[in-house]
Amino acid sequence: MTNLEEMGQNAQNAAFELGQLGTQQKNAALLNMANSLVSNTEKILTANKEDIETAKKNGLKQAMVDRLLLTPDRINDMSNGLRQVMDLPDPIGKIDRGWTTETGLDITQERVPLGVIGMIYEARPNVTVDAAGLCFKAGNAVILRGGKEAINSNIVLSEILRTALKNVDINPNAVQLIDDISHETAQKMMELSDYIDVLIPRGSGKFIKMVVDKAKVPIIETGAGNCHIYVDKDADLDKALKIIINAKVQRPSVCNAAEKIVIHKDVANEFLPKIYAALRANNVEVRGDTLSKAICPDIIPATEEDWGTEYDDYIIAIKIVDSIDEAIKHVNKYNTKHSESIITENYSSSRQFMKQIDAAVVYTNASTRFTDGQQFGFGAEIGISTQKLHARGPMGANELTTTKYLVQGDGQIRK
Amino acid sequence: MTNLEEMGQNAQNAAFELGQLGTQQKNAALLNMANSLVSNTEKILTANKEDIETAKKNGLKQAMVDRLLLTPDRINDMSNGLRQVMDLPDPIGKIDRGWTTETGLDITQERVPLGVIGMIYEARPNVTVDAAGLCFKAGNAVILRGGKEAINSNIVLSEILRTALKNVDINPNAVQLIDDISHETAQKMMELSDYIDVLIPRGSGKFIKMVVDKAKVPIIETGAGNCHIYVDKDADLDKALKIIINAKVQRPSVCNAAEKIVIHKDVANEFLPKIYAALRANNVEVRGDTLSKAICPDIIPATEEDWGTEYDDYIIAIKIVDSIDEAIKHVNKYNTKHSESIITENYSSSRQFMKQIDAAVVYTNASTRFTDGQQFGFGAEIGISTQKLHARGPMGANELTTTKYLVQGDGQIRK
């Protein structure tokens, strides 16, 4: 069994060293990591082939096999991802604020790395590279624990990254992979509070819930997205239609896809048949409340369970409301605090919705699909936080930091 | 048994309303709360008398009884505390940053309340008032669970605050006290993740550890302080002496008091006898490593356990080191990431210590006793965070908020 305490100690030592590195050194290392991935393409593909064969032998679904699969193009994408992280501003050393106290102490609050980050995730091997790059940029050591399906790919990827670090004289323990895929080791990792400062799970809602339940290490919860689009009485219905189709259909399996439509009764008669037809034309199953079924009889009746469900699939559910107040109440009751959008041309409705909806991101007249580190301009993301502590919404390098107060005195004592 | 789900739901409803209040309305409520405490002095004293009598009957230590005791002066202090919170800037609505994306979305990141805060604490009844005031200022509803020793005082205090809210037409469920002091109810509160956004424990190190272990709600860990003062080879030894005595003796029972002294060997022969005499003159028990005992033979030998112990008492332990590197390594190994100070006139030593020590607050030439919301100028504090997630160091109203991204578009869909 893997010695997690030893890995934890190694990670802490590496984190101490990383915390002292300048931006140029970190960027040189990221460039070397990026280049090494491409120059080791054959090696990566060979390891990945093993994973793919095992997956097929074990009868994994085609969608899962697709997620596992690496190709020269996908390796290039991972490499380019590291280059993008290299180009990001370094979040470390930034002064958030500073002031002088009445007793003459000069206080500055400065951004510093979190320390050691644990990543626990499911199938995709690209998370190994993405997470390593982003954690490293923010001066953190990372301990990775990927899914058993990608174990051969993950071992080779992490070895390449470690060698790339070593070759630029940086402690390779900045990136460590747990290559023991037993549940016992995963459980032990989730309890490693003496060494891991924060644990970030990535994967399905079910997987994240399991980690949240079992972990003792502080967690940043990511990903659950039961996102709503509210079509106000003063909506531009053409915009509403385009935005809903985009938010539902462009990539239904992701957390920022729309799962629910809430429609003001004043526009339901006009809008519902149109959106119903458009959704059906895109092979989306449409469920709805009794009011919506009265307008479009082919709608499948929604149950109470539907309102709280994240489908991640070609399914959507529709609710008709009497007022914007009822819409806001419904959204706040059933949402996962991820992303919600109002479609309206009415200034006061937009303002009310933006103020009263409790979510990481609230939109007026835009698709919920923009809740994403790349789209926000963060360059890369480690996940989308749906909790309120520490970070909320897309998390980039900046969200992988904490702060430290530096206080300069000249002999002050407390009275 | 208390219906915690109902309290949770009430708190969420109140939180929604608080989130819409303006600064003036909140300040008017705080003023009314402050005035109501003073005008109900007799009622508070009567309830407190019951707690004191029970405490004496149960043979509680005098120090504990002192903590429980309320007097007209202490009630005035609590009232003034609320007035100070009233005078603080309102953290809600502040825009942390804003930008326009390539697709023309206007994004702002705005400060919003956390929602519902749970406070779980030990004896002092003033925490009831302090926490309610600070949570309220930041637009949060609070669920309070104080110690059983202060239950009568807490019930009266919370009723006064609730009536004061009601009288200015604010939902009194902004402040709720769990008056059931059973362990079962406390445990259930710690698992109330559907309603409580963050749980803040206050009390002894042992108490906080118990809460961290048992809670399912996200926690902000506060308070553990094994603070070091490092006397560098280039220290001004007069400053060092004054600062150490202040940090140890001025109030030994608190988390920002110094627990350890680390001394560079080059100044140990000169400094140790002086600081030893000064500490003994202040009734401080002095423990130390073998090197320090060689200089001052009356020093009590320190064990390995001492280096990691927070005494909160008239005890200190001394270690002599060969270099600043060894000092930093020692501090980072044994500290609780609270507050650490270097005494030096050497620019490079100060810079190195400030950069390499991992703690919420790092000082040069000042007492660790300044790690405090009041001293930092935050006006009030809900505790001192020793974790790295969300908030680190003294937590004022600003740290009781989260953010929300507001995105304004004109029909953007994702490509």
Side-chain angles (χ1 to χ4, degrees):
Chain A
M1 193 162 151
T2 312
N3 187 337
L4 285 181
E5 278 79 16
E6 196 185 317
M7 286 183 84
Q9 189 58 61
N10 289 343
Q12 280 195 339
N13 294 343
F16 179 79
E17 294 172 34
L18 289 190
Q20 318 302 320
L21 293 182
T23 306
Q24 289 186 336
Q25 288 167 285
K26 289 192 283 189
N27 285 347
L30 285 164
L31 183 61
N32 201 36
M33 289 195 259
N35 291 338
S36 300
L37 286 178
V38 175
S39 63
N40 282 288
T41 295
E42 280 313 313
K43 204 169 161 186
I44 299 169
L45 292 178
T46 307
N48 185 247
K49 212 177 152 193
E50 281 187 65
D51 288 333
I52 296 293
E53 278 166 11
T54 312
K56 286 183 177 162
K57 213 185 302 169
N58 293 341
L60 252 69
K61 276 196 234 168
Q62 188 56 37
M64 192 71 129
V65 176
D66 282 347
R67 284 187 188 187
L68 266 183
L69 184 71
L70 292 177
T71 62
D73 271 1
R74 286 184 177 182
I75 293 169
N76 253 324
D77 286 349
M78 292 194 288
S79 173
N80 286 334
L82 289 176
R83 270 171 241 264
Q84 280 177 16
V85 169
M86 184 183 84
D87 289 339
L88 293 177
D90 189 337
I92 301 305
K94 179 174 167 284
I95 306 289
D96 278 1
R97 49 181 177 165
W99 69 99
T100 302
T101 69
E102 285 178 8
T103 51
L105 294 169
D106 296 321
I107 303 184
T108 51
Q109 185 179 21
E110 187 177 323
R111 288 270 145 204
V112 297
L114 279 168
V116 178
I117 295 176
M119 290 288 308
I120 184 161
Y121 49 106
E122 291 189 298
R124 287 172 208 263
N126 66 305
V127 176
T128 305
V129 175
D130 294 352
L134 213 50
C135 290
F136 182 82
K137 180 79 188 202
N140 301 292
V142 68
I143 298 180
L144 302 157
R145 205 278 188 184
K148 65 176 186 305
E149 299 82 4
I151 185 67
N152 291 297
S153 312
N154 286 340
I155 288 173
V156 166
L157 288 170
S158 61
E159 273 172 7
I160 292 166
L161 298 178
R162 287 168 58 86
T163 306
L165 287 169
K166 219 181 297 175
N167 288 343
V168 292
D169 288 327
I170 289 176
N171 190 332
N173 291 329
V175 179
Q176 293 182 92
L177 176 82
I178 298 177
D179 59 7
D180 167 354
I181 51 172
S182 69
H183 285 298
E184 293 71 32
T185 304
Q187 179 59 42
K188 232 182 132 194
M189 179 200 188
M190 294 187 253
E191 294 170 2
L192 211 62
S193 340
D194 286 348
Y195 299 101
I196 297 180
D197 293 292
V198 55
L199 184 66
I200 304 177
R202 286 200 55 179
S204 68
K206 203 178 137 192
F207 176 77
I208 290 168
K209 207 186 149 357
M210 181 277 289
V211 175
V212 170
D213 280 349
K214 294 189 170 175
K216 300 255 182 230
V217 179
I219 281 199
I220 298 181
E221 206 170 332
T222 64
N226 182 25
C227 304
H228 297 70
I229 294 180
Y230 167 58
V231 182
D232 188 41
K233 67 172 169 44
D234 296 315
D236 175 329
L237 298 181
D238 289 335
K239 279 184 195 163
L241 193 125
K242 278 181 202 141
I243 287 170
I244 290 169
I245 295 299
N246 178 260
K248 178 72 259 181
V249 173
Q250 197 239 2
R251 204 168 162 207
S253 64
V254 292
C255 61
N256 56 20
E259 304 287 10
K260 303 294 176 309
I261 314 173
V262 179
I263 306 178
H264 192 286
K265 66 169 169 32
D266 291 359
V267 292
N269 278 315
E270 181 184 351
F271 185 63
L272 191 49
K274 287 182 195 165
I275 189 70
Y276 179 76
L279 286 164
R280 294 299 301 138
N282 280 282
N283 298 313
V284 178
E285 179 182 319
V286 183
R287 305 180 186 178
D289 60 2
T290 44
L291 289 173
S292 60
K293 201 172 158 58
I295 298 170
C296 290
D298 290 340
I299 281 178
I300 297 164
T303 64
E304 171 64 23
E305 204 194 333
D306 275 290
W307 305 125
T309 300
E310 180 180 2
Y311 304 118
D312 287 339
D313 204 346
Y314 286 86
I315 306 172
I316 205 162
I318 297 175
K319 184 176 174 70
I320 295 178
V321 292
D322 281 342
S323 63
I324 184 171
D325 290 319
E326 191 189 343
I328 289 168
K329 214 169 162 183
H330 180 83
V331 172
N332 279 339
K333 180 169 178 187
Y334 292 103
N335 77 348
T336 52
K337 319 274 178 233
H338 192 297
S339 300
E340 315 298 341
S341 185
I342 180 175
I343 316 299
T344 192
E345 298 299 313
N346 182 308
Y347 169 82
S348 295
S349 297
S350 162
R351 191 167 144 88
Q352 184 185 352
F353 191 86
M354 302 284 264
K355 273 193 184 288
Q356 297 190 345
I357 289 291
D358 186 14
V361 191
V362 189
Y363 293 89
T364 295
N365 293 338
S367 170
T368 52
R369 290 277 293 114
F370 287 102
T371 302
D372 173 277
Q374 288 277 359
Q375 296 294 326
F376 265 46
F378 297 169
E381 71 172 32
I382 199 98
I384 294 167
S385 165
T386 52
Q387 69 180 33
K388 292 185 182 177
L389 280 192
H390 188 70
R392 201 177 189 199
M395 291 189 293
N398 200 46
E399 283 68 34
L400 298 178
T401 64
T402 181
T403 63
K404 175 157 94 171
Y405 288 106
L406 303 175
V407 184
Q408 297 184 303
D410 42 24
Q412 278 84 349
I413 59 173
R414 185 147 165 204
K415 301 237 156 59
Chain B
M1 192 159 150
T2 312
N3 187 338
L4 284 180
E5 278 79 16
E6 194 184 317
M7 286 183 83
Q9 188 58 60
N10 289 343
Q12 280 194 341
N13 294 344
F16 179 80
E17 294 172 33
L18 289 190
Q20 317 303 319
L21 294 182
T23 306
Q24 289 186 336
Q25 288 167 288
K26 289 191 284 189
N27 285 349
L30 286 164
L31 184 61
N32 202 35
M33 290 195 259
N35 290 338
S36 300
L37 287 177
V38 176
S39 62
N40 283 288
T41 295
E42 281 313 312
K43 203 170 161 187
I44 298 170
L45 292 179
T46 307
N48 184 248
K49 210 177 154 193
E50 281 187 64
D51 288 332
I52 296 293
E53 278 166 12
T54 312
K56 285 183 176 161
K57 213 185 303 171
N58 294 339
L60 251 70
K61 276 196 233 168
Q62 187 56 38
M64 191 70 128
V65 175
D66 282 347
R67 285 188 187 185
L68 266 182
L69 184 71
L70 292 178
T71 62
D73 270 0
R74 286 185 178 182
I75 293 169
N76 253 323
D77 285 350
M78 293 194 288
S79 173
N80 286 333
L82 289 176
R83 270 172 240 266
Q84 280 176 18
V85 169
M86 185 182 82
D87 289 337
L88 292 177
D90 189 336
I92 300 305
K94 180 174 166 282
I95 305 289
D96 278 3
R97 51 180 176 165
W99 68 99
T100 303
T101 69
E102 286 179 6
T103 50
L105 294 169
D106 295 322
I107 303 184
T108 51
Q109 185 179 21
E110 187 176 322
R111 288 271 145 205
V112 296
L114 279 168
V116 178
I117 296 176
M119 290 289 307
I120 184 162
Y121 50 104
E122 291 189 299
R124 285 173 209 264
N126 66 304
V127 176
T128 305
V129 175
D130 293 352
L134 213 50
C135 290
F136 182 82
K137 179 80 188 200
N140 301 291
V142 67
I143 297 179
L144 302 156
R145 205 278 186 184
K148 65 176 187 302
E149 299 81 4
I151 185 67
N152 292 297
S153 312
N154 287 339
I155 287 174
V156 165
L157 288 171
S158 61
E159 272 170 8
I160 291 166
L161 298 179
R162 286 167 59 86
T163 305
L165 287 170
K166 218 181 301 178
N167 288 342
V168 292
D169 288 326
I170 289 177
N171 190 331
N173 291 330
V175 178
Q176 293 182 91
L177 177 82
I178 299 177
D179 59 8
D180 167 356
I181 52 172
S182 70
H183 284 297
E184 293 71 33
T185 303
Q187 179 59 40
K188 232 184 132 193
M189 179 200 188
M190 293 187 251
E191 295 171 2
L192 211 62
S193 338
D194 286 346
Y195 300 102
I196 297 179
D197 293 291
V198 54
L199 185 65
I200 305 176
R202 289 200 54 178
S204 68
K206 204 178 134 192
F207 176 76
I208 290 167
K209 207 185 149 355
M210 181 276 289
V211 176
V212 171
D213 281 348
K214 294 191 172 175
K216 299 255 180 228
V217 179
I219 280 198
I220 298 180
E221 207 171 333
T222 63
N226 182 25
C227 305
H228 297 72
I229 294 180
Y230 166 59
V231 183
D232 188 42
K233 66 175 169 44
D234 297 314
D236 175 330
L237 297 181
D238 289 336
K239 279 185 196 163
L241 193 124
K242 278 180 202 142
I243 287 170
I244 290 170
I245 294 300
N246 179 260
K248 178 73 258 181
V249 173
Q250 197 238 2
R251 203 168 161 206
S253 64
V254 291
C255 61
N256 57 18
E259 303 288 8
K260 303 294 175 310
I261 314 173
V262 180
I263 307 178
H264 193 286
K265 67 172 169 28
D266 291 1
V267 292
N269 278 315
E270 182 185 351
F271 184 65
L272 191 49
K274 287 182 193 163
I275 189 69
Y276 178 79
L279 286 164
R280 294 298 302 137
N282 280 283
N283 297 315
V284 178
E285 179 183 317
V286 183
R287 306 180 186 177
D289 61 0
T290 45
L291 288 174
S292 61
K293 200 172 159 61
I295 298 169
C296 291
D298 290 341
I299 281 179
I300 297 164
T303 63
E304 171 64 24
E305 204 195 329
D306 275 292
W307 305 126
T309 300
E310 180 181 0
Y311 304 118
D312 287 340
D313 203 347
Y314 286 85
I315 306 172
I316 205 161
I318 298 174
K319 182 174 176 70
I320 295 178
V321 292
D322 282 342
S323 64
I324 183 171
D325 290 319
E326 190 188 343
I328 289 169
K329 214 170 161 183
H330 180 83
V331 172
N332 279 338
K333 181 170 177 186
Y334 292 103
N335 77 349
T336 51
K337 319 276 180 231
H338 192 297
S339 301
E340 315 297 340
S341 184
I342 180 174
I343 315 300
T344 191
E345 298 299 313
N346 182 308
Y347 168 82
S348 296
S349 297
S350 161
R351 192 167 145 89
Q352 183 185 352
F353 191 86
M354 302 284 264
K355 272 193 184 291
Q356 297 189 346
I357 289 292
D358 186 14
V361 190
V362 190
Y363 294 86
T364 296
N365 293 338
S367 169
T368 52
R369 289 276 294 114
F370 287 102
T371 302
D372 173 275
Q374 289 276 356
Q375 297 293 324
F376 265 47
F378 297 169
E381 70 173 32
I382 198 99
I384 295 167
S385 165
T386 53
Q387 68 180 34
K388 291 184 180 176
L389 279 193
H390 188 71
R392 202 177 189 199
M395 289 188 293
N398 201 46
E399 283 68 33
L400 297 179
T401 63
T402 182
T403 64
K404 175 158 95 171
Y405 287 107
L406 303 175
V407 184
Q408 298 184 302
D410 42 25
Q412 278 84 350
I413 58 173
R414 186 149 163 202
K415 301 235 155 59

